[in-house]
Amino acid sequence: MGDLELRDDLLPEDEGEASLHETLVSRMRQLMIEGTLENGQRIPEAELCRMFGVSRTPLREALKVLAVQGFVQLRPNRGAIVAPIDPEQIRPIFELKGALERLIGLTAAERVTQEDLDAIDALHHELGATLEQGQMDDYTRLNYAFHKGLAQISGNALLCETYEGLQQRIWRYRFVVNEDFTRVADSFAEHEQIMIALRARTPLDLAARLEAHNMRTCEAMLRAIAQIS
Amino acid sequence: MGDLELRDDLLPEDEGEASLHETLVSRMRQLMIEGTLENGQRIPEAELCRMFGVSRTPLREALKVLAVQGFVQLRPNRGAIVAPIDPEQIRPIFELKGALERLIGLTAAERVTQEDLDAIDALHHELGATLEQGQMDDYTRLNYAFHKGLAQISGNALLCETYEGLQQRIWRYRFVVNEDFTRVADSFAEHEQIMIALRARTPLDLAARLEAHNMRTCEAMLRAIAQIS
DNA sequence: GGCGGATGAATTGCATTCATTTTTTGCAGC
DNA sequence: GCTGCAAAAAATGAATGCAATTCATCCGCC
């Protein structure tokens, strides 16, 4: 007992300390967002247990959570399947997201600070760079970050959370729209207008542009899906 | 094997067949909505297990789900507490709900059918009756049903789901506002205007009235809470 | 008397086990 | 060869058990 041990856990760090539950939820969600697990595909618990090296108890808890978030569908006594989003469900999602985009626009325009502007502007320029270089995967990722950043400027955590949930549901279809290069160019042009409205801090204008951007993305996605099938 | 047995499970009924998981989730949520479990109160798993007569496994799954829905707060290794909604969190909820109210108004006005109108009108008149008789608990319940019904007219299931989630979070504070009888009268008057806009099928008008109604309810709730504390 | 640290009790996190339901496999009958 | 039932195998739902963490109590010390 002679040695005093310096404890460095005084600062809990709060990050990097993701619990197993949270890890499982986000990793499984990632599998579905990335498309590793296909829509409608059955998810045998045992296989996922081997995959993640955990027992069924925490895995099932994660499945229950993902069911609430709409990523998986639980069928009593018959296991879970990756929630099959059919095209008919895409429009309602975008419709709801449109309402949130509008609120984001209204509030972000009023609450945006100079630091916010600088940060989102940096993202915007990164987006432009990836577009010029044709790095579509990077573009898609940055696009996600751009809209998430806008949501955060709203200052409403619940709004952010809800918004990101919708984004993630839609995210599973992004590859479909990415193929549509003309849409990407149009999309970036719309971002340009969004940035202008944000810098000008004009709530109604920003809201309208975000809503329009959302609607156009929705239509492009529906067109792309229609082409495939 | 001589007797042919008529099987009546051809129609799965789909209702009344709530799984244990769903039952636990809704019953525990009810406890918190009703206020049986107070805000910030610790929830020992063992006690809830006794209460519901189940083991910890399904109960913990339910807790995880309720955490996602924002009703409980899970602290790693330290158990769950009833999510303490402080007044600062009320405004963001109403702000988000306002965006949904607007969407509900826009879409409901366009998609409402005559049957919808009849049903919601019946609710509306019931509301008026309970108001006259001063049955505030019934009024509150019917008020919830009224707004839920409006959301359903929108025809967007995801919107309904999200909307009801917000309503339930707020629901825990309804008793505070119910005390404010003048607000109830005002609220009903606003419902009258909402019904007029719905019958007239004027999207922008209905949306504006729902948004205003939402905002006034928010202010009334904040005032009531401020008075208490 | 108040405070800090140690020990035991209680609680949580996860793994394992048991019971029930579903799915698959096998076989008799047509 | 195909259909239909029956038993086996597999998967799910829930309970129990065990390790680890947290909480409560107690004791020594200032």
Side-chain angles (χ1 to χ4, degrees):
Chain A
M1 305 237 206
D3 51 348
L4 287 178
E5 200 173 340
L6 276 183
R7 310 187 339 174
D8 58 348
D9 58 338
L10 299 179
L11 289 176
E13 284 282 329
D14 230 350
E15 61 178 344
E17 277 295 329
S19 66
L20 174 59
H21 173 68
E22 288 170 24
T23 307
L24 278 177
V25 170
S26 66
R27 286 190 64 186
M28 289 183 57
R29 185 166 44 205
Q30 201 64 22
L31 287 182
M32 287 178 282
I33 291 173
E34 287 176 352
T36 308
L37 295 175
E38 281 179 28
N39 277 358
Q41 180 182 342
R42 188 128 171 284
I43 313 174
E45 293 180 1
E47 192 175 326
L48 288 175
C49 286
R50 278 193 301 276
M51 183 182 280
F52 293 117
V54 298
S55 76
R56 285 177 53 217
T57 306
L59 190 114
R60 285 170 57 80
E61 289 174 354
L63 280 176
K64 293 276 199 295
V65 166
L66 289 168
V68 172
Q69 296 179 340
F71 287 98
V72 307
Q73 202 172 313
L74 297 180
R75 303 165 305 170
N77 289 317
R78 302 188 57 203
I81 60 174
V82 180
I85 300 189
D86 53 323
E88 280 83 46
Q89 287 181 336
I90 288 181
R91 201 180 284 277
I93 295 178
F94 272 96
E95 191 175 77
L96 177 56
K97 190 162 86 72
L100 304 195
E101 296 276 10
R102 183 183 144 88
L103 178 57
I104 289 170
L106 291 179
T107 54
E110 286 183 345
R111 299 172 189 171
V112 64
T113 67
Q114 188 58 45
E115 300 93 70
D116 293 334
L117 264 177
D118 295 341
I120 205 88
D121 215 56
L123 268 176
H124 177 60
H125 282 101
E126 269 195 87
L127 262 170
T130 57
L131 177 61
E132 284 180 10
Q133 297 169 22
Q135 300 166 330
M136 280 310 123
D137 46 349
D138 284 341
Y139 182 89
T140 308
R141 198 170 36 76
L142 283 170
N143 187 38
Y144 185 94
F146 177 80
H147 285 287
K148 182 176 175 178
L150 272 174
Q152 284 171 337
I153 293 175
S154 78
N156 186 331
L158 181 61
L159 173 58
C160 285
E161 201 180 299
T162 311
Y163 181 76
E164 197 171 0
L166 294 182
Q167 281 284 57
Q168 289 184 339
R169 289 205 200 191
I170 291 167
W171 196 243
R172 292 160 65 187
Y173 282 98
R174 75 199 175 289
F175 52 85
V176 177
V177 176
N178 272 5
E179 305 301 321
D180 192 346
F181 292 104
T182 57
R183 169 62 193 152
V184 177
D186 287 351
S187 170
F188 185 72
E190 289 161 24
H191 278 208
E192 197 74 64
Q193 297 300 313
I194 288 167
M195 286 305 300
I196 290 173
L198 182 64
R199 291 195 202 96
R201 294 186 167 83
T202 49
L204 286 174
D205 189 33
L206 181 58
R209 293 196 186 283
L210 282 173
E211 267 195 285
H213 180 61
N214 177 68
M215 204 187 300
R216 294 214 185 89
T217 304
C218 177
E219 298 302 337
M221 186 167 283
L222 290 176
R223 272 200 310 275
I225 288 173
Q227 278 184 4
I228 288 176
S229 48
Chain B
M1 305 241 204
D3 52 348
L4 286 178
E5 201 174 340
L6 275 184
R7 310 185 342 172
D8 57 349
D9 57 339
L10 299 177
L11 289 176
E13 284 282 330
D14 229 350
E15 61 178 345
E17 277 294 330
S19 66
L20 174 59
H21 173 68
E22 288 170 25
T23 307
L24 278 177
V25 170
S26 65
R27 286 191 63 187
M28 288 182 58
R29 186 165 45 204
Q30 202 64 22
L31 287 182
M32 287 178 283
I33 293 173
E34 287 177 353
T36 309
L37 296 175
E38 279 180 30
N39 277 357
Q41 180 182 344
R42 191 130 169 284
I43 314 175
E45 293 179 2
E47 192 175 326
L48 288 175
C49 286
R50 277 193 300 277
M51 184 182 282
F52 293 116
V54 297
S55 75
R56 286 176 53 218
T57 305
L59 190 114
R60 284 171 57 80
E61 290 173 354
L63 280 176
K64 293 277 200 294
V65 166
L66 289 169
V68 172
Q69 297 178 339
F71 287 98
V72 307
Q73 201 173 314
L74 296 180
R75 303 164 305 168
N77 288 317
R78 304 187 57 205
I81 60 174
V82 179
I85 301 189
D86 52 323
E88 281 82 44
Q89 286 181 336
I90 288 182
R91 201 180 285 277
I93 296 177
F94 272 96
E95 191 174 78
L96 177 55
K97 190 162 86 74
L100 303 194
E101 297 276 10
R102 185 183 141 89
L103 178 57
I104 289 170
L106 291 178
T107 53
E110 286 182 345
R111 298 171 190 172
V112 64
T113 66
Q114 188 57 48
E115 300 92 72
D116 292 334
L117 265 178
D118 293 342
I120 206 88
D121 215 57
L123 269 175
H124 177 61
H125 281 102
E126 270 195 87
L127 262 170
T130 58
L131 176 61
E132 283 180 11
Q133 297 169 21
Q135 302 165 329
M136 281 308 124
D137 46 349
D138 285 341
Y139 183 90
T140 309
R141 197 169 37 76
L142 283 170
N143 186 38
Y144 185 95
F146 177 82
H147 285 287
K148 182 176 176 180
L150 271 173
Q152 284 169 337
I153 293 175
S154 78
N156 186 331
L158 182 61
L159 172 58
C160 287
E161 201 180 300
T162 311
Y163 181 76
E164 198 172 357
L166 294 181
Q167 282 283 59
Q168 288 184 338
R169 290 206 199 190
I170 292 167
W171 195 243
R172 292 160 62 188
Y173 282 97
R174 75 200 175 288
F175 53 86
V176 177
V177 176
N178 271 5
E179 305 302 320
D180 192 346
F181 291 104
T182 57
R183 169 60 193 154
V184 177
D186 288 352
S187 170
F188 186 72
E190 289 161 25
H191 278 209
E192 196 75 64
Q193 297 299 314
I194 288 167
M195 286 305 300
I196 291 174
L198 181 65
R199 292 196 200 95
R201 295 185 165 84
T202 49
L204 286 174
D205 189 32
L206 181 57
R209 293 196 184 283
L210 282 172
E211 267 195 284
H213 180 61
N214 178 68
M215 203 188 301
R216 294 215 186 89
T217 304
C218 177
E219 298 303 338
M221 186 167 283
L222 289 176
R223 271 200 311 275
I225 289 173
Q227 279 184 5
I228 288 176
S229 47

